[in-house]
């Protein structure tokens, strides 16, 4: 435990007046950090591969750029984030990028059933499965079970970027992760609104050529009591 954390605990236990230490101010880490070696590990496949078969994504990547997405907590934010990110990295497979999604849970059977139930909400054709090491994940990786998502990006079996996301945000966090993927694998930074799986509301707001509200435009044309001026204005839109 760091000195900052020790002080925060002491303040809490002793009820020191005016003590305002906060754990939220500490940086959050999960998994190997940039420059460290990415250890090999296995997980049990459920989707996009032989069901039940063990896969070692690090060995399978064979030194290619690799994006690992560990889902610690299944919720709308984590699944949406994983779907969009994995969808993008899977589209870069021709560029050598490899991807794997791993769900962490102490009940492996229940986790496998959950993956099957939400398969429609996950990126297709991406190896997806369940950790064989429970909720903590592979011990060699040192994952933080208190985060929602851990994203590791590696090349030549060395980590180039590591993200520990407590509240994954497509708008705030995804661009940072995508930038790290591009820096590792090359290519151009993709536009968020063009990524498959992005919420339609955000995509429509960012697309100037989005289809207009036809009901609103046509109402003046079809109302029996519409004046000539209203019809002409609607026709000019």
């Amino acid at each position: 435990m760091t000195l900052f954390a020790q002080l925060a605990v002491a303040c809490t236990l002793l009820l020191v007046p005016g003590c305002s230490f906060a754990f939220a101010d500490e940086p959050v880490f999960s998994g190997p950090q940039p420059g460290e070696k990415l250890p090999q590990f296995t997980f049990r496949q459920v989707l996009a591969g032989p069901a039940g078969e063990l896969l070692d994504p690090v060995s399978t990547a064979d030194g290619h750029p690799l994006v690992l997405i560990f889902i610690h907590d299944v919720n709308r934010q984590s699944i949406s984030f994983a779907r969009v990110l994995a969808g993008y990295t899977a589209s870069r497979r021709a560029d050598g990028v490899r991807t794997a999604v791993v769900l962490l849970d102490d009940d492996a059977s229940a986790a496998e059933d959950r993956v099957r139930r939400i398969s429609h909400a996950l990126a297709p054709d991406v190896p997806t499965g369940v950790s064989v090491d429970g909720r903590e994940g592979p011990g060699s990786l040192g994952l933080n079970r208190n985060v929602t998502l851990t994203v590791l990006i590696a090349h030549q079996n060395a980590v180039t970027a590591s993200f520990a996301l407590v509240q994954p945000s497509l708008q705030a966090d995804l661009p940072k992760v995508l930038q790290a993927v591009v820096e590792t694998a090359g290519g151009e930074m993709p536009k968020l609104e063009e990524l498959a799986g992005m919420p339609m509301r955000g995509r429509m707001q960012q697309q100037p050529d989005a289809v207009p509200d036809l009901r609103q435009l046509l109402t003046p044309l079809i109302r029996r009591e519409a004046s000539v001026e209203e019809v002409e204005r609607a026709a000019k839109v």
Side-chain angles (χ1 to χ4, degrees):
M1 184 180 293
T2 66
L3 176 60
F4 185 95
Q6 292 175 358
L7 290 172
V9 172
C11 285
T12 301
L13 294 178
L14 298 176
L15 300 177
V16 177
C19 184
S20 59
F21 288 102
F23 287 103
D25 293 334
E26 283 205 308
V28 180
F29 299 100
S30 182
Q33 298 304 295
E36 297 180 354
K37 181 179 179 180
L38 181 62
Q40 296 179 0
F41 69 96
T42 59
F43 70 92
R44 182 171 290 106
Q45 290 190 92
V46 179
L47 305 176
E53 189 170 291
L54 294 181
L55 175 67
D56 178 351
V58 179
S59 296
T60 302
D62 193 26
H64 286 86
L66 173 63
V67 178
L68 296 173
I69 305 171
F70 295 93
I71 302 176
H72 301 258
D73 187 14
V74 176
N75 55 46
R76 180 183 57 80
Q77 288 178 308
S78 63
I79 296 304
S80 295
F81 197 101
R83 178 179 68 247
V84 177
L85 175 58
Y88 166 71
T89 56
S91 73
R92 298 287 311 276
R93 183 173 178 80
D95 299 324
V97 180
R98 302 293 183 261
T99 311
V101 178
V102 183
L103 179 64
L104 305 173
D105 198 299
D106 286 330
D107 190 333
S109 296
E112 290 180 28
D113 290 340
R114 175 174 290 182
V115 171
R116 295 187 187 95
R117 289 198 305 272
I118 65 174
S119 59
H120 63 282
L122 298 168
D125 304 322
V126 173
T128 302
V130 174
S131 172
V132 297
D133 300 290
R135 185 171 176 79
E136 300 289 344
S140 59
L141 292 182
L143 299 176
N144 183 348
R145 66 179 298 166
N146 295 317
V147 302
T148 300
L149 282 178
T150 296
V151 179
L152 300 178
I153 303 171
H155 190 206
Q156 297 296 334
N157 299 336
V159 175
T160 59
S162 177
F163 298 89
L165 305 177
V166 178
Q167 293 183 318
S169 167
L170 288 171
Q171 299 299 329
D173 298 314
L174 184 59
K176 302 174 186 177
V177 179
L178 293 175
Q179 183 64 46
V181 173
V182 170
E183 290 176 355
T184 299
E188 297 183 358
M189 183 70 176
K191 296 180 179 179
L192 288 185
E193 65 269 21
E194 296 177 354
L195 295 177
M198 282 294 289
M200 288 303 297
R201 180 182 301 177
R203 297 175 71 180
M204 293 294 283
Q205 288 176 345
Q206 298 182 55
Q207 291 180 3
D209 297 326
V211 177
D213 185 350
L214 296 180
R215 179 188 296 274
Q216 181 178 353
L217 294 177
L218 292 178
T219 296
L221 297 176
I222 61 177
R223 281 195 304 114
R224 180 177 301 177
E225 65 273 21
S227 66
V228 174
E229 289 78 14
E230 288 178 321
V231 173
E232 289 179 346
R233 282 199 301 270
K236 292 178 181 179
V237 176

